């Protein structure tokens, strides 16, 4: 069982920055594929950024590419999401997720493929 504990988030004005953290309390091998997802009210959960332990190239959704950066501290088994140039449309509940998913499937896996999820953290961007 993998337990993911999120921190960070909050409220910021458009153009501001926030950082999200996601700490996994298990060995790295059980969370090869990790990612950030978000869900706005009335909308489906969508993938924002993903990173596989064996790949140096992260994946970003078009809506956040160039503004968000995903990174991982393997020593502390912590995943981060640095969010810059935030827009009101970035407002959502953000979740981290992890799973033993191959590098081939990590970047296209559906939300239902990820077995482990953080508790969620709200990000609100005002105009």
């Amino acid at each position: 069982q993998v337990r993911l504990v999120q921190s960070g988030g909050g409220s910021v004005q458009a153009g501001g920055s926030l950082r999200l953290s996601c700490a996994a309390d298990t060995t790295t091998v059980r969370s090869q594929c990790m990612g950030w997802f978000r869900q706005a009210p009335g909308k489906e959960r969508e993938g924002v950024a993903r990173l596989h332990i064996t790949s140096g190239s992260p994946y970003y959704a078009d809506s956040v590419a160039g503004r968000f950066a995903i990174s991982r501290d393997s020593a502390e088994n912590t995943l981060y999401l640095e969010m810059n140039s935030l827009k009101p449309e970035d407002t959502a509940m953000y979740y981290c997720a992890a799973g033993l998913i191959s590098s081939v499937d990590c970047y296209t896996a559906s939300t239902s493929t990820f077995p482990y999820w953080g508790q969620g953290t709200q990000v609100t961007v005002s105009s």
Side-chain angles (χ1 to χ4, degrees):
Q1 186 71 22
V2 175
R3 182 167 174 259
L4 302 177
V5 179
Q6 295 180 223
S7 59
S11 298
V12 67
Q13 288 191 328
S17 300
L18 288 172
R19 188 193 200 200
L20 305 181
S21 299
C22 174
D25 67 342
T26 187
T27 55
T28 304
V29 68
R30 302 196 68 183
S31 51
Q32 290 184 338
C33 177
M34 298 186 76
W36 290 97
F37 297 76
R38 67 186 182 186
Q39 187 167 18
K43 294 188 177 180
E44 292 187 355
R45 191 169 298 187
E46 62 174 355
V48 173
R50 308 181 192 200
L51 185 64
H52 194 273
I53 190 173
T54 64
S55 173
S57 301
Y59 161 84
Y60 296 101
D62 290 343
S63 57
V64 306
R67 300 187 298 119
F68 289 14
I70 186 173
S71 62
R72 178 176 182 160
D73 183 331
S74 297
E76 300 203 358
N77 215 23
T78 301
L79 186 73
Y80 300 97
L81 185 68
E82 191 75 36
M83 303 183 292
N84 300 308
S85 301
L86 283 161
K87 304 175 181 180
E89 50 263 44
D90 294 318
T91 295
M93 185 70 78
Y94 283 71
Y95 299 89
C96 64
L100 189 61
I101 303 169
S102 70
S103 59
V104 173
D105 297 327
C106 177
Y107 298 160
T108 58
S110 65
T111 56
S112 60
T113 306
F114 289 82
Y116 311 116
W117 290 84
Q119 79 276 19
T121 185
Q122 179 68 36
V123 171
T124 302
V125 184
S126 58
S127 58

